[in-house]
Amino acid sequence: QTTDTPTNNFATGNVLAPHNSSNRIMSEGNLKIANSAGTWASIPSSIAVSSGKWYVEYKMDSIGGSGLCAVGICEPQGFPVDNDNGSVGNTTYGTATYGYYNPNGYKYVNGTASSYGDSFATNDIISIALNLDDNEVIFYKNGTAQDSGTAISITDTEYVFVVSNYNGVTVSQNF
């Protein structure tokens, strides 16, 4: 008998997560999320991380006129149940949640919004550089670090990557 111990695993969107799952349309191996409803729908990564350095990209395939999007990180146990309580960075995502929001470029840290970077729209690529060795995160827009590259200090814990979208937004994930 051979023991199966895979070491080359890849994340996708975790379709078992409950947050407004009826509003999510997943495709392309759970790497693309669409939402045409007038409520928030979010999806976390299928793999949580607790140490090391990690990089994720989100391509904004389509953001309609009233569409909203946020990308970020939160604790796996902080991911909300099936409700419409906003996007990643909101306190309904736990006590360690950080998000970057499209219409104004604000960052949300545990529910508190502040000016951070550029807004983003269709065809922009938003990246997250998560450094759990130094407990910090930096968001990028089209390869340019936001807030002059100043890292956001984060709580020392385990995280999943999250994309939240609202009303006519389609996003592709690259883990």
Side-chain angles (χ1 to χ4, degrees), residues 94-136:
T95 58
T97 177
Y98 309 86
Y100 177 35
Y101 192 54
N102 81 300
N104 53 19
Y106 276 29
K107 68 178 176 184
Y108 282 74
V109 175
N110 302 322
T112 301
S114 61
S115 181
Y116 179 70
D118 296 329
S119 63
F120 52 95
T122 299
N123 292 321
D124 285 331
I125 296 175
I126 305 303
S127 308
I128 302 173
L130 178 60
N131 179 348
L132 293 171
D133 296 334
D134 297 322
N135 294 319
E136 59 188 24

Side-chain angles (χ1 to χ4, degrees), residues 1-174:
Q1 178 176 355
T2 304
T3 302
D4 185 14
T5 56
T7 58
N8 196 16
N9 301 307
F10 299 93
T12 65
N14 184 354
V15 295
L16 300 177
H19 188 263
N20 277 343
S21 56
S22 62
N23 295 337
R24 291 189 313 229
I25 303 165
M26 302 298 300
S27 61
E28 298 184 20
N30 296 331
L31 293 174
K32 184 176 274 197
I33 177 175
N35 178 7
S36 59
T39 59
W40 284 100
S42 298
I43 192 159
S45 57
S46 59
I47 297 175
V49 294
S50 59
S51 64
K53 296 178 181 176
W54 302 87
Y55 180 81
V56 175
E57 294 179 330
Y58 296 94
K59 180 177 186 279
M60 303 300 128
D61 295 317
S62 173
I63 299 179
S66 61
L68 303 173
C69 184
V71 299
I73 57 173
C74 75
E75 299 170 285
Q77 66 273 20
F79 196 78
V81 295
D82 205 11
N83 59 33
D84 183 30
N85 284 328
S87 63
V88 63
N90 184 303
T91 55
T92 57
Y93 285 73
T95 58
T97 177
Y98 309 86
Y100 177 35
Y101 192 54
N102 81 300
N104 53 19
Y106 276 29
K107 68 178 176 184
Y108 282 74
V109 175
N110 302 322
T112 301
S114 61
S115 181
Y116 179 70
D118 296 329
S119 63
F120 52 95
T122 299
N123 292 321
D124 285 331
I125 296 175
I126 305 303
S127 308
I128 302 173
L130 178 60
N131 179 348
L132 293 171
D133 296 334
D134 297 322
N135 294 319
E136 59 188 24
V137 64
I138 298 175
F139 294 94
Y140 293 78
K141 176 186 172 187
N142 298 324
T144 301
Q146 299 301 286
D147 197 25
S148 301
T150 303
I152 301 168
S153 294
I154 62 173
T155 303
D156 183 11
T157 189
E158 183 178 51
Y159 289 97
V160 289
F161 294 93
V162 179
V163 58
S164 303
N165 61 11
Y166 179 93
N167 199 26
V169 175
T170 302
V171 178
S172 294
Q173 308 171 93
N174 182 17

